[in-house]
Amino acid sequence: MKTSLSPAAAAPLRDALGTEHRPAAGELRIVSLVPSLTELVCDLGLADRLVGRTGFCVHPRDVLKPIPKVGGTKDVKMDVVRALAPTHLIVNVDENRRETVEELAAFVPNVIVTHPCAPADNLDLYRLFGGIFHCADRAARLAAELGTALAEAQGVARELPREEVLYLIWREPWMSVARDTYISATLAEVGWDTLPADAGQRYPEIDWQVPWMAGVARVFLSSEPYRFRERHLAEVAALSRRAVAMIDGEMASWYGSRAAAGLRYLAALRRALAGVA
């Protein structure tokens, strides 16, 4: 897999909406409304250029403590963002409301819209941020690390039989993920295919009596957005009559610089649950 950023260095820097961005000039002031991308900004060496973040942007904790909060991913405080005078705003199609972003775009000069749908999409994300924020070398290192992690994950998928799994993100109502989500695509890299295979919503509610439940080999309880605990294992085992395991939601759902670590975590978990050293 091609992971180097240098061959495409001259290509236009386009975000998820196709908007072309130029390398930043002058003072750089970044507000990020996406927790995983706030982490990416820091890992690219741009923490001192970050002037605002949401209350859900918590990694790296010590670095982010002094950075002003601008509300949540959905309920952004416009007056706070305006006072911070950002030159660049980082948002995501799934995590931020369109009307909120449009309102912010009225006074933020550069709005970078992201929408990674699979782990490999992070390669373009690294190149985009690396080009805009003049940190292509750091971005290239992340790309190389991700390439290695993808190869390891795909090796596990070839080594072990594929399994159909149910990945729960919420309790009462019970909710899972559709196959067009980043979570599902990430799990698929190590050979876990999420059910339902066809869903009308990206995060469908689950009926424990549906016919496709018979195909579920294992149920995962995610640590986010609902904070499943060990005490929920027995409850879900009784409802599903399947093997149930806890899973780190950040490792399965956070794109950006955590993508490589997430794939390595899932590869190790897949081996452990299969009893493979």
Side-chain angles (χ1 to χ4, degrees):
M1 175 175 292
K2 180 180 176 181
T3 58
S4 174
L5 302 187
S6 55
L13 299 168
R14 298 188 187 279
D15 68 13
L17 295 187
T19 301
E20 184 172 345
H21 295 267
R22 294 186 178 185
E27 182 184 14
L28 182 60
R29 299 177 61 82
I30 304 170
V31 167
S32 174
L33 302 183
V34 189
S36 58
L37 298 186
T38 301
E39 182 178 49
L40 175 59
V41 166
C42 294
D43 287 340
L44 289 173
L46 300 165
D48 61 342
R49 300 292 184 265
L50 188 65
V51 299
R53 46 97 182 193
T54 75
F56 299 105
C57 298
V58 295
H59 298 303
R61 294 184 184 277
D62 291 342
V63 173
L64 293 178
K65 279 182 181 178
I67 307 298
K69 297 177 185 178
V70 300
T73 55
K74 302 290 192 293
D75 54 337
V76 180
K77 298 176 181 178
M78 296 292 166
D79 56 334
V80 175
V81 177
R82 188 186 295 272
L84 293 170
T87 59
H88 291 76
L89 177 73
I90 298 172
V91 300
N92 178 264
V93 169
D94 289 330
E95 297 197 42
N96 308 119
R97 293 192 176 98
R98 179 176 180 176
E99 56 269 27
T100 300
V101 175
E102 290 176 345
E103 187 174 350
L104 290 165
F107 59 87
V108 180
N110 303 283
V111 178
I112 304 171
V113 180
T114 66
H115 190 215
C117 297
D121 292 348
N122 286 287
L123 297 173
D124 286 336
L125 190 61
Y126 301 156
R127 192 185 77 83
L128 178 66
F129 280 30
I132 294 173
F133 299 132
H134 305 284
C135 51
D137 289 344
R138 286 177 180 260
R141 286 194 289 271
L142 287 177
E145 182 183 1
L146 177 57
T148 300
L150 279 165
E152 179 184 346
Q154 291 159 6
V156 172
R158 290 191 297 269
E159 175 187 349
L160 299 171
R162 300 193 74 85
E163 287 184 341
E164 292 185 315
V165 301
L166 178 63
Y167 185 101
L168 293 179
I169 61 169
W170 205 258
R171 178 180 179 274
E172 296 183 346
W174 300 97
M175 296 176 69
S176 184
V177 297
R179 288 193 176 176
D180 63 348
T181 59
Y182 183 88
I183 293 171
S184 183
T186 303
L187 294 173
E189 292 287 353
V190 298
W192 278 323
D193 300 312
T194 62
L195 291 176
D198 298 303
Q201 298 176 316
R202 301 191 76 207
Y203 304 101
E205 292 189 17
I206 297 302
D207 177 352
W208 294 105
Q209 306 306 316
V210 293
W212 56 257
M213 194 67 66
V216 174
R218 188 182 307 278
V219 181
F220 286 115
L221 305 186
S222 177
S223 60
E224 66 167 40
Y226 184 88
R227 192 178 294 274
F228 281 105
R229 301 289 194 181
E230 295 287 338
R231 65 177 182 271
H232 296 116
L233 290 171
E235 177 187 19
V236 175
L239 288 168
S240 66
R241 299 181 182 179
R242 299 291 185 275
V244 185
M246 303 296 298
I247 194 167
D248 187 327
E250 290 182 355
M251 289 300 189
S253 67
W254 280 40
Y255 37 86
S257 49
R258 192 173 290 244
L263 288 169
R264 290 194 298 268
Y265 163 83
L266 291 173
L269 182 61
R270 179 92 211 268
R271 286 194 179 101
L273 293 177
V276 178

